[in-house]
Amino acid sequence: MASEEQLALSGLIKSVHQRLRDSSKETPPDQVWREHLQNEDLLRRYAVAMHTLATCYWDKTMEVSCKKDNSRIEWVVNSCREYFFRSRLLNLFREKDDKVMKALENFNYQHHPYEISRVRLLDVGSCYNPFSEFADFEVTAIDIAPAHESVIYCDFLEVPLGQSLTTDLKPSSIDSLPLGYFDAVAFCLLLEYMPSSDQRLLCCQKAYAVLKPEGILLVITPDSRHQGANAKLMKNWRFTLGLMGFTRIKIEKLEHVTCMVFRKSIFKEVSERWCRIHKEDYMTAVLNIPQDFKNDTMSNEDDDQGEHVEKSVEDMVEIREMFGGLPFVDDEMN
């Protein structure tokens, strides 16, 4: 059973997401997002809540786990290792791509080995840089509210894309991200933070731009409903990302999350062909989440609860800072 602290922390996260979505129905989402970035106190409390949930509850009790014996973090790591180092999925989808291209045109393409010693990973919405502990990963961890000194400030929606990875002098923020540079991009519980479909689409388009050909986008999204309840929604995600040039190569529906891997196709014609063949009447180029279809606004009771949990988290933050600052892993868990 969830503790009082866990309920308060998760309540804060949900109330922030809900208020962003509600505000975006009356005000342009980009304006809502910019105003959100100016609320430093709320961002700080949000960061503490996410960090505490991840390190004290999710990755310890496995409540938001992707298998009974490993966490969402390990799921991302294992998926990357399986794809890049064991290469079974990589070679399988190369073969599928070749068959499609041969059917479409006079095709003769020579594949080269995808050889890397470390996975260049862009962790968007990283919070506390959990992937830094893995020696076979070279991590660029970014967030709008870093909860650890190794995480660099960056608004992924606004950051320019260029030819190199550039930071400011500290470096505490990123000035630009490089095109075609990363082997993998991770969106762990990120897209539902964005209040509109267009902003989620932009995140995925930027991920596509910074990935190498055959690089992968790993998406973990909350989903506590039964198997198949959100199947149409997830198939529409597959359709929408397919139009961008992504091929979905793996999906796992688990107790509290849906985990997906999308591959940046060498040939965009392959993913576009899948979209043409499998398009159904309900499919459109949007990225909706289940919460988009709930009631327009929180009830007064929900709003009061949101204020209550935010006050509870504020009290917890003050207590933690009295004893030395934010509850980083080394401080709290060892």
Side-chain angles (χ1 to χ4, degrees), residues 1-3 5-7 9 47-64 71-73 127-128 130 316 320 325-334:
M1 181 178 293
S3 69
E5 179 185 53
Q6 185 178 358
L7 291 173
L9 295 169
V48 171
M50 284 298 294
H51 183 259
T52 306
L53 282 168
T55 57
C56 298
Y57 296 100
W58 295 344
D59 295 340
K60 293 298 176 181
T61 67
M62 309 306 175
E63 180 167 340
V64 182
S71 72
R72 64 195 174 90
I73 303 304
C127 187
Y128 67 104
M316 282 186 279
R320 291 179 188 279
L326 295 175
F328 298 149
V329 178
D330 291 342
D331 298 330
E332 286 287 303
M333 304 311 299
N334 292 339

Side-chain angles (χ1 to χ4, degrees), residues 154-328:
C154 178
D155 178 10
F156 192 58
L157 288 172
E158 295 292 336
V159 66
L161 304 183
Q163 298 305 311
S164 61
L165 178 65
T166 61
T167 62
D168 66 8
L169 296 178
K170 296 185 181 179
S172 60
S173 65
I174 285 181
D175 294 326
S176 71
L177 288 170
L179 295 163
Y181 178 82
F182 295 98
D183 301 302
V185 174
F187 291 168
C188 290
L189 311 178
L190 172 83
L191 292 176
E192 42 286 332
Y193 196 163
M194 305 297 150
S196 74
S197 169
D198 286 347
Q199 291 166 319
R200 298 168 203 143
L201 285 169
L202 179 57
C203 281
C204 295
Q205 289 163 349
K206 282 197 159 183
Y208 185 88
V210 302
L211 281 169
K212 297 177 184 177
E214 298 189 279
I216 56 175
L217 170 63
L218 303 106
V219 179
I220 296 179
T221 186
D223 186 356
S224 295
R225 299 191 66 190
H226 64 81
Q227 180 81 28
N230 290 317
K232 280 190 173 182
L233 204 59
M234 293 299 99
K235 194 170 182 180
N236 198 78
W237 280 35
R238 184 178 186 178
F239 170 80
T240 301
L241 269 66
L243 294 175
M244 292 183 195
F246 280 113
T247 299
R248 196 181 72 190
I249 64 173
K250 183 179 180 182
I251 181 168
E252 293 186 59
K253 170 62 188 82
L254 302 154
E255 186 176 3
H256 294 290
V257 290
T258 293
C259 308
M260 294 168 281
V261 181
F262 295 89
R263 172 176 176 264
K264 180 177 178 176
S265 302
I266 299 178
F267 315 106
K268 197 172 181 180
E269 298 93 329
V270 174
S271 61
E272 290 174 341
R273 179 177 181 270
W274 185 95
C275 293
R276 289 195 302 271
I277 292 173
H278 295 278
K279 187 179 188 308
E280 299 182 35
D281 291 341
Y282 68 86
M283 290 181 176
T284 55
V286 296
L287 282 182
N288 289 126
I289 59 175
Q291 293 85 346
D292 290 336
F293 305 105
K294 291 185 177 179
N295 294 334
D296 288 343
T297 57
M298 292 188 297
S299 66
N300 291 334
E301 181 180 352
D302 291 334
D303 197 52
D304 291 342
Q305 176 66 10
E307 293 178 1
H308 169 72
V309 297
E310 288 185 17
K311 184 64 172 69
S312 298
V313 173
E314 184 176 3
D315 291 343
M316 282 186 279
V317 171
E318 291 177 357
I319 292 170
R320 291 179 188 279
E321 290 184 340
M322 287 172 60
F323 291 92
L326 295 175
F328 298 149

Side-chain angles (χ1 to χ4, degrees), residues 104-171:
L104 292 175
E105 60 185 60
N106 186 13
F107 175 79
N108 186 14
Y109 183 84
Q110 182 64 44
H111 291 282
H112 299 286
Y114 198 117
E115 294 180 347
I116 55 174
S117 58
R118 302 174 73 197
V119 177
R120 278 183 180 169
L121 173 68
L122 177 64
D123 183 17
V124 185
S126 177
C127 187
Y128 67 104
N129 197 7
F131 299 106
S132 62
E133 64 179 276
F134 299 97
D136 49 350
F137 282 71
E138 177 187 323
V139 184
T140 301
I142 62 175
D143 204 307
I144 59 170
H148 192 276
E149 61 186 5
S150 64
V151 181
I152 306 174
Y153 175 84
C154 178
D155 178 10
F156 192 58
L157 288 172
E158 295 292 336
V159 66
L161 304 183
Q163 298 305 311
S164 61
L165 178 65
T166 61
T167 62
D168 66 8
L169 296 178
K170 296 185 181 179

